[in-house]
């Protein structure tokens, strides 16, 4: 537990004076993500500690450098959790990194996205000013919602120093079921289960079958097999015993992710047609009821981006194993959108010293 | 150009965009639009227009940009912070005619709607598919989804299902130059910065929204509503914390104090106990098994928290009646007092009892009755201060008392507004919640997206030069209190 906000502040101030760009780093667990930049490091791991945790308020405040694992362990003691189920990608992930990357886990459509959990945050902007937005309460509409803007901004708008997040009670019981059903019918099946009020909290199709996780009270989970039999007798299903699957999925530890090929992340509407990008059915993992695909393809970046534009989705080259450090990692933005991005960048970081180039060139 | 000249040119050009009956120019025509739901702030706009499609909105904005005319967008005008108060030298852009539901996709569980669609109309249209749109402000029969976006509106069901910001996927609209802009995507996140939450709640100051894709949820299979009565406000406040602490997340968790109970009972005959100091309305929804488990857990908690009576609505009709009482509480209070002033501070749940007691002491100090009816589960207070604006000095006194309530909210770690927005009404309290550096950052955000300051100028964020003055005034009224963050010369 260490409050080093002022050390980080003076490091930013020095960088401004010397016109020197900084690469904001936490545990380095997501170093691979985004465009590769080589600036001086600003290490948030000196700024640590859970500063407030009120289980009855369902609210936790922590400094950016606090290990995510510590936060999750603390919550676990009170039978609570982060609803966004963030990936850790190794043991060193920090709270600040979770927020800056904004990557949500398998429960995202059913519980919350990272941005949904954020109630407020304190940031260090590119002028070296420490600013606080949002708060510790469930609702807050005073001023613009800068806290949620910070989520997923990859440090390009400010150094997140501290944040308050909403937490949720853990479900007492869980059950994972494997359905033998094609990818094209999987979305509809998940949708149907939700409409019947079944407590779906994650889903994943691997090309052969659909895995669904249910989380609820003991009694409700105990009754699930009967309900599945009743409503879904037309599909083969069986209880899936490997409890580690979901954490391996979110942390990219499944064999799918470790074969040394480039991996794209496609975020699309559930019904989007991405068939033109799929060579082999086993080169895609689908989550979020069809809204998120992990794709291995040798297709050119341009062709992936074009398909995404056509279906109102977006892509990022998530793991660059073959291509090496690519310049085009994220879906290119239309001109007006880039203008807004540049102007916002200037509004928060006029000298352009915070993670420049990590997200887009020139930003 | 002189103001009169601009008005003439604007009027002439507008006639090339809209049919004449949709351009309002005379005082008589403009009068109905002089205020939103907070009628103590009134002003006539220079002109008002009611476009019927996005093409017209686009041309109108481009024209205003060319002439340098400010634009205030208006939805249904139910806002409670004067966010839609017209600008005397500006155009009022009324979007109520953009009122079409463009499509409902039951498979994707989404609806595409125009901004003038009423909040309730979305759930009504979705119900044939067994779906609903979760954020349900009490004004939902009247307020528009565009206004909900601009205010990040909340409602009775937000504790479990989130606010507007949690239930929107994509926004289309125009920037101040009339150029098309889109934030969000067809998926669950978007490329680049996370702009959607920046726009949601921005009070019409960053863009004009003309199309919205909202998330729909399956209607819960089972719903139960419980009415718990208490003989003290403290006990009811404590029970709210206890319920959440027990791991129960109700669909809705609302509280009313005795003044609100009696007013609502006279108006809606909802079956509330008139003799209770406070009641809680607790809605539990979900699958039948889950609902019964949670209901049981809630019952246990309430017994320990000292509920004097406990009733579960026995039929859908009774359930609807319980909610009718709650949702009509504002107009019900409106009947017992010539005027009321509605506050919107939000606090940690654990501070409920203390802040309600403080409000009670202010009520005695100022001599104004207060009715409390609010989203207790979210810690979102709505004290309604009862007064008569026709009695000289009362409005000023009420505003002062309201200001003190908001300052108390900040002091206990809360905020001056949970869902109604800052608008003009709470602009004086902004410098109490934010430092000059933070306010300057807000201005730079505004400048980034609306460099000519044409969209709803003057709302939400106070001018820096006024901030010290507002802080000094607040300190004058209550000199012994030091605001936790700002007293230290930050
Ligand atoms: C009896 C009563 C009960 C209420 N209960 C609640 C409640 O439970 N929860 C809650 O959150 N609020 C509540 N409100 C407040 C109000 O209904 C909400 O703020 C609502 O969202 C306003 O919608 P509107 O269409 O009336 O917007 P307006 O009042 O017309 O406008 C509000 C703001 O939105 C901007 N705006 C409107 N449309 C657009 C657009 N298309 N693009 C950009 N900007 C736009 C305006 O410029 C203005 O700043 C209540 C109000 C009343 C009168």
């Amino acid at each position: 537990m260490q409050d080093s906000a002022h050390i980080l502040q003076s490091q930013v101030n020095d960088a401004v004076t010397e016109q020197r760009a900084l690469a904001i780093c936490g545990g380095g667990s997501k170093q691979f993500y985004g465009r590769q930049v080589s600036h001086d490091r600003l290490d948030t791991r000196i700024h640590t500690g859970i500063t407030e945790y009120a289980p009855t308020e369902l609210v936790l405040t922590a400094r950016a450098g606090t290990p995510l694992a510590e936060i999750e362990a603390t919550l676990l003691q009170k039978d609570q959790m982060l609803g966004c189920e963030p990936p850790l990608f190794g043991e060193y992930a920090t709270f600040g990194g979770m927020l800056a990357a904004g990557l949500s886990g398998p429960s995202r459509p059913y519980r919350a996205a990272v941005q949904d959990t954020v109630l407020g945050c304190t940031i260090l902007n590119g002028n070296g000013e420490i600013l606080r937005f949002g708060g510790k309460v469930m609702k807050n509409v005073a001023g613009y919602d800068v806290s949620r803007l910070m989520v997923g901004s990859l440090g390009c708008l400010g150094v997140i120093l501290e944040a308050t997040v909403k937490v949720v009670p853990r479900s007492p019981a869980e059950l994972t079921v494997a359905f033998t059903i094609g990818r094209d019918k999987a979305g509809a099946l998940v949708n149907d289960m939700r409409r019947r009020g079944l407590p779906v909290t994650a889903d994943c199709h691997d090309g052969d079958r659909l895995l669904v996780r249910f989380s609820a009270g003991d009694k409700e989970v105990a009754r699930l097999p009967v309900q599945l039999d009743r409503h879904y007798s037309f599909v083969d299903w069986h209880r899936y015993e490997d409890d580690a699957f979901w954490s391996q999925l979110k942390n990219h530890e499944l064999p799918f992710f470790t074969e040394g090929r480039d991996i794209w992340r496609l975020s699309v509407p559930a019904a989007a047609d991405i068939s033109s990008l799929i060579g082999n059915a086993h080169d895609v993992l689908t989550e979020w009821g069809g809204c998120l695909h992990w794709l291995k393809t040798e297709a050119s970046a341009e062709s992936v981006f074009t398909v995404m534009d056509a279906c109102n989705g977006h892509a990022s080259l998530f793991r660059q194993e073959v291509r090496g450090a690519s310049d085009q990692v994220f879906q290119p933005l239309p001109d007006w959108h880039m203008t807004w991005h540049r102007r916002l960048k200037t509004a928060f970081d006029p000298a352009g010293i915070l993670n420049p180039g990590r997200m887009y060139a020139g930003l | 150009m002189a103001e009169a000249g601009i008005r003439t040119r604007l009027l002439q050009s507008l006639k090339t965009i809209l049919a004449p009956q949709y351009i309002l120019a005379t005082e008589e025509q403009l009068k109905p639009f002089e205020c939103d739901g907070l009628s103590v702030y009134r002003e006539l706009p220079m002109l008002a227009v009611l476009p019927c499609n996005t093409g017209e909105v686009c041309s109108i904005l481009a024209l205003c940009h060319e002439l340098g005319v400010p634009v205030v967008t208006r939805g249904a005008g139910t806002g409670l912070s004067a966010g839609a108060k017209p600008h005397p030298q500006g155009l009022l852009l009324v979007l109520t005619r953009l009122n079409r539901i463009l499509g409902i996709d039951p498979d994707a569980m989404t609806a595409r709607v125009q901004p003038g669609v009423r909040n309730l109309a979305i759930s009504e249209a979705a119900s044939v598919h067994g779906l609903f749109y979760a954020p349900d402000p009490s004004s939902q029969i009247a307020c528009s989804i565009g206004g909900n976006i601009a205010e990040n509106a909340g409602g009775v069901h937000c504790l479990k299902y989130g606010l507007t910001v949690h239930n929107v996927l994509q926004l289309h609209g125009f920037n101040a130059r009339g150029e098309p802009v889109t934030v969000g995507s067809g998926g669950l996140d978007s490329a680049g910065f996370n702009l959607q939450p920046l726009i949601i709640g921005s009070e019409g100051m960053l863009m004009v929204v003309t199309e919205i894709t909202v998330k729909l949820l399956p209607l819960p299979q089972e719903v139960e509503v419980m009415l718990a009565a208490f003989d003290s406000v403290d006990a009811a406040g404590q029970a709210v914390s206890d319920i959440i602490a027990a791991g129960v997340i109700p669909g809705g968790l609302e509280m009313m104090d005795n003044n609100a109970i009696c007013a609502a009972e006279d108006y809606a005959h909802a079956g509330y106990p008139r003799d209770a100091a406070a009641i809680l309305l607790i809605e539990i929804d979900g699958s039948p098994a889950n609902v019964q488990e949670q209901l049981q857990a809630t019952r246990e908690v309430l017994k320990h928290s000292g509920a004097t009576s406990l009733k579960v609505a026995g039929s859908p009709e009774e359930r609807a009646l319980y909610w009718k009482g709650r949702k009509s509480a504002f107009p019900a209070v409106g009947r017992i007092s010539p005027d009321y002033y509605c506050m919107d501070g939000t606090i940690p749940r654990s501070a409920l009892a203390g802040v309600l007691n403080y409000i009670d002491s202010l009520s005695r100090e100022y001599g104004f009755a207060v009715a409390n009816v609010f989203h207790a589960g979210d810690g979102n207070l709505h004290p309604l201060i009862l007064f008569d604006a026709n009695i000289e000095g009362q409005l000023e006194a009420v505003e002062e008392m309201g200001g003190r309530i908001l300052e108390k909210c900040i002091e206990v770690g809360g905020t001056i507004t949970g869902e109604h927005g800052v608008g003009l009404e709470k602009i004086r309290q902004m410098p109490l919640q934010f430092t000059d550096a933070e306010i300057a950052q807000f201005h730079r955000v505004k400048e980034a997206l609306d460099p000519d300051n044409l969209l709803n100028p003057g709302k939400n964020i106070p001018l820096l030069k006024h901030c010290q003055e507002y802080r000094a005034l607040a300190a004058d009224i209550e000199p012994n209190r030091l605001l936790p963050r700002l007293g230290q010369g930050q």
Side-chain angles (χ1 to χ4, degrees):
Chain A
M1 180 103 162
Q2 191 182 353
D3 181 357
S4 305
H6 293 283
I7 301 178
L8 293 169
Q9 184 177 34
S10 68
Q11 287 173 353
V12 167
N13 282 332
D14 290 349
V16 175
T17 315
E18 297 158 21
Q19 297 202 343
R20 188 162 45 81
L22 295 173
I24 308 163
C25 300
S29 64
K30 288 177 265 301
Q31 196 71 57
F32 66 87
Y33 179 57
R35 296 174 81 251
Q36 298 303 309
V37 291
S38 54
H39 311 305
D40 290 354
R41 285 168 66 98
L42 181 82
D43 195 335
T44 62
R45 282 173 307 175
I46 56 170
H47 190 51
T48 58
I50 296 172
T51 53
E52 202 175 319
Y53 174 34
T56 57
E57 291 285 323
L58 298 177
V59 165
L60 175 138
T61 305
R63 300 198 180 106
T66 314
L68 254 187
E70 180 186 330
I71 291 177
E72 293 192 328
T74 305
L75 292 172
L76 188 61
Q77 285 175 6
K78 297 284 176 192
D79 268 329
Q80 296 184 344
M81 60 186 274
L82 292 167
C84 57
E85 211 179 352
L88 295 174
F89 298 136
E91 54 194 301
Y92 303 113
T94 60
F95 186 51
M98 167 190 102
L99 298 164
L103 295 167
S104 311
S107 63
R108 193 265 173 250
Y110 314 107
R111 285 198 174 113
V114 178
Q115 69 162 64
D116 298 336
T117 68
V118 173
L119 298 174
C121 70
T122 306
I123 65 162
L124 188 52
N125 68 7
N127 289 327
E129 292 169 317
I130 293 178
L131 310 174
R132 196 171 80 183
F133 299 102
K136 298 188 174 185
V137 287
M138 292 296 143
K139 300 162 99 172
N140 192 343
V141 294
Y144 304 118
D145 192 347
V146 175
S147 336
R148 290 193 181 96
L149 172 67
M150 288 296 143
V151 175
S153 65
L154 279 179
C156 298
L157 295 175
V159 183
I160 297 168
L161 290 177
E162 185 177 281
T164 299
V165 291
K166 195 160 82 168
V167 301
V168 296
R170 284 171 63 86
S171 305
E174 256 176 18
L175 171 71
T176 295
V177 170
F179 295 89
T180 311
I181 190 171
R183 194 189 310 269
D184 53 331
K185 300 203 175 61
L189 184 68
V190 172
N191 195 316
D192 191 74
M193 290 191 272
R194 291 185 73 191
R195 281 155 163 271
R196 288 185 196 280
L198 302 189
V200 177
T201 56
D203 66 288
C204 177
H205 199 286
D206 64 3
D208 295 325
R209 60 190 176 177
L210 170 73
L211 295 185
V212 179
R213 181 181 66 193
F214 303 94
S215 319
D218 295 317
K219 279 192 212 145
E220 200 180 355
V221 168
R223 283 173 27 133
L224 274 170
V226 178
Q227 285 175 289
L228 294 179
D229 267 338
R230 179 172 343 134
H231 300 301
Y232 305 109
S233 56
F234 58 92
V235 259
D236 264 352
W237 67 265
H238 62 88
R239 190 184 286 253
Y240 190 76
E241 302 292 349
D242 183 4
D243 290 339
F245 175 83
W246 299 107
S247 97
Q248 288 171 350
L249 170 66
K250 75 169 182 177
N251 291 324
H252 290 187
E253 290 159 357
L254 295 172
F256 176 91
F257 294 100
T258 54
E259 284 171 359
R261 289 174 67 188
D262 284 351
I263 294 179
W264 286 86
R265 178 184 186 277
L266 313 182
S267 174
V268 294
D273 179 9
I274 58 155
S275 54
S276 66
L277 294 174
I278 305 181
N280 179 324
H282 295 116
D283 285 347
V284 198
L285 268 190
T286 302
E287 294 185 64
W288 297 4
C291 288
L292 182 73
H293 302 282
W294 301 99
L295 170 73
K296 293 188 265 199
T297 177
E298 273 67 51
S300 70
E302 283 65 34
S303 58
V304 177
F305 291 139
T306 306
V307 172
M308 290 299 101
D309 274 337
C311 72
N312 195 14
H314 67 100
S316 48
L317 179 50
F318 200 79
R319 299 227 179 226
Q320 309 157 41
E321 306 280 354
V322 182
R323 250 164 270 227
S326 166
D327 221 34
Q328 271 205 329
V329 170
F330 297 105
Q331 185 83 20
L333 300 176
D335 288 346
W336 73 265
H337 211 169
M338 205 39 158
T339 307
W340 269 18
H341 274 67
R342 288 213 187 88
R343 298 186 63 106
L344 280 171
K345 169 78 174 169
T346 310
F348 283 90
D349 177 22
I353 56 152
L354 300 177
N355 271 5
R358 180 83 191 255
M359 188 184 260
Y360 290 102
L363 198 69
Chain B
M1 205 183 328
E3 204 178 294
I6 292 206
R7 186 176 181 283
T8 312
R9 271 190 62 189
L10 181 64
L11 191 55
Q12 263 169 7
S13 306
L14 284 172
K15 285 178 184 158
T16 67
I17 301 173
L18 295 127
Q21 67 269 36
Y22 297 117
I23 305 173
L24 312 181
T26 65
E27 188 178 335
E28 195 187 353
Q29 288 172 324
L30 294 172
K31 196 83 182 150
F33 297 95
E34 68 179 345
C35 65
D36 63 8
L38 182 62
S39 58
V40 292
Y41 292 85
R42 290 166 196 268
E43 187 102 64
L44 289 182
M46 183 161 77
L47 294 168
V49 286
L50 289 91
C52 75
N53 60 46
T54 52
E56 289 181 0
V57 174
C58 170
S59 309
I60 292 163
L61 287 167
L63 173 65
C64 288
H65 179 257
E66 186 191 321
L67 298 178
V69 172
V71 176
V72 177
T73 308
R74 179 185 165 105
T78 68
L80 290 175
S81 56
K85 195 202 82 160
H87 189 291
Q89 284 91 42
L91 180 78
L92 189 71
L93 179 65
V94 185
L95 295 185
T96 42
R97 291 178 67 224
L98 267 78
N99 61 357
R100 283 188 305 136
I101 294 182
L102 301 170
I104 291 184
D105 181 342
D107 296 326
M109 298 205 265
T110 57
R112 264 188 332 118
V113 300
Q114 291 191 316
V117 171
R118 290 173 308 112
N119 173 293
L120 185 60
I122 303 176
S123 286
E124 283 171 352
S127 67
V128 296
H129 303 287
L131 300 169
F132 75 113
Y133 174 62
D136 55 343
S138 306
S139 51
Q140 70 182 148
I141 333 175
C143 67
S144 75
I145 183 73
N148 293 171
I149 299 288
E151 302 289 10
N152 189 14
V156 161
H157 288 94
C158 288
L159 174 61
K160 181 164 177 184
Y161 297 111
L163 310 166
T164 303
V165 71
H166 302 111
N167 289 281
V168 172
L169 293 171
Q170 191 163 35
L171 302 172
H172 294 287
F174 299 93
N175 66 12
R177 305 170 68 99
E179 296 159 347
V181 292
T182 298
V183 298
S185 82
L188 297 181
D189 49 31
S190 56
F193 295 149
N194 196 10
L195 295 178
Q196 193 157 272
L198 186 67
I199 299 298
I200 295 176
S202 66
E203 306 193 4
M205 295 177 63
L206 303 180
M207 73 179 267
V208 175
V209 176
T210 54
E211 187 186 312
I212 302 123
T213 306
V214 297
K215 233 185 338 193
L216 302 173
L217 293 174
L219 282 164
Q221 291 186 306
E222 190 164 309
V223 180
E224 296 279 10
V225 178
M226 220 188 248
L227 177 93
F230 293 84
D231 56 15
S232 82
V233 168
D234 283 24
Q238 186 56 43
V240 171
S241 287
D242 294 346
I243 291 171
I244 307 288
V248 176
I249 309 273
L253 178 47
E254 302 280 307
M255 180 161 159
M256 295 168 77
D257 71 4
N258 184 264
N259 281 342
I261 295 169
C262 293
E265 195 47 31
D266 288 340
Y267 184 83
H269 311 291
Y272 298 162
R274 279 171 189 282
D275 54 349
I279 58 167
L280 294 181
L281 284 174
I282 307 150
E283 181 166 302
I284 311 268
D285 65 359
S287 66
N290 191 15
V291 168
Q292 293 315 318
E293 264 178 70
Q294 302 234 348
L295 206 57
Q296 192 47 38
T298 310
R299 248 188 243 278
E300 293 299 319
V301 172
L302 289 170
K303 269 187 221 147
H304 284 108
S305 311
T308 51
S309 77
L310 242 179
K311 249 167 68 182
V312 177
S315 64
E317 293 72 33
E318 194 174 3
R319 212 164 66 213
L321 203 56
Y322 282 0
W323 280 126
K324 184 176 171 212
R326 162 62 185 95
K327 291 203 174 179
S328 57
F330 287 11
V333 168
R335 291 201 322 174
I336 59 169
S337 169
D339 296 283
Y340 68 81
Y341 204 88
C342 173
M343 315 304 300
D344 179 40
T346 303
I347 55 173
R349 277 181 290 266
S350 55
L352 274 177
V355 173
L356 289 172
N357 283 329
Y358 177 75
I359 294 174
D360 188 47
S361 71
L362 286 183
S363 162
R364 275 178 273 119
E365 180 183 333
Y366 282 81
F368 296 123
V370 172
N372 280 294
V373 40
F374 63 100
H375 311 302
D378 294 318
N380 186 187
L381 301 169
H382 286 329
L384 304 176
I385 310 174
L386 314 189
F387 73 109
D388 185 348
N390 286 325
I391 299 177
E392 179 139 345
Q394 283 215 349
L395 176 62
E396 292 72 18
V398 163
E399 286 191 311
E400 183 182 300
M401 173 172 158
R404 286 176 69 182
I405 294 175
L406 296 186
E407 286 153 30
K408 186 73 180 175
C409 292
I410 300 174
E411 196 184 301
V412 300
T415 173
I416 57 174
T417 173
E419 58 180 22
H420 294 166
V422 174
L424 284 177
E425 183 217 3
K426 292 182 262 304
I427 210 151
R428 285 166 174 265
Q429 277 77 35
M430 280 292 278
L432 308 181
Q433 187 168 335
F434 295 101
T435 63
D436 281 3
E438 288 155 357
I439 286 176
Q441 185 66 72
F442 285 141
H443 282 301
R444 286 197 298 274
V445 168
K446 165 77 168 160
E447 218 180 290
L449 304 199
D450 176 19
D452 302 308
N453 194 23
L454 290 178
L455 297 180
N456 213 3
K459 309 277 171 65
N460 193 356
I461 317 294
L463 292 177
L464 273 175
K465 63 178 181 196
H466 293 151
C467 288
Q468 268 320 329
E469 177 195 332
Y470 294 157
R471 288 188 195 114
L473 273 174
D476 249 10
I477 294 167
E478 202 157 355
N480 299 330
R481 231 204 48 263
L482 204 63
L483 283 163
R485 317 184 48 216
L486 305 166
Q488 301 140 25
Q490 264 192 39

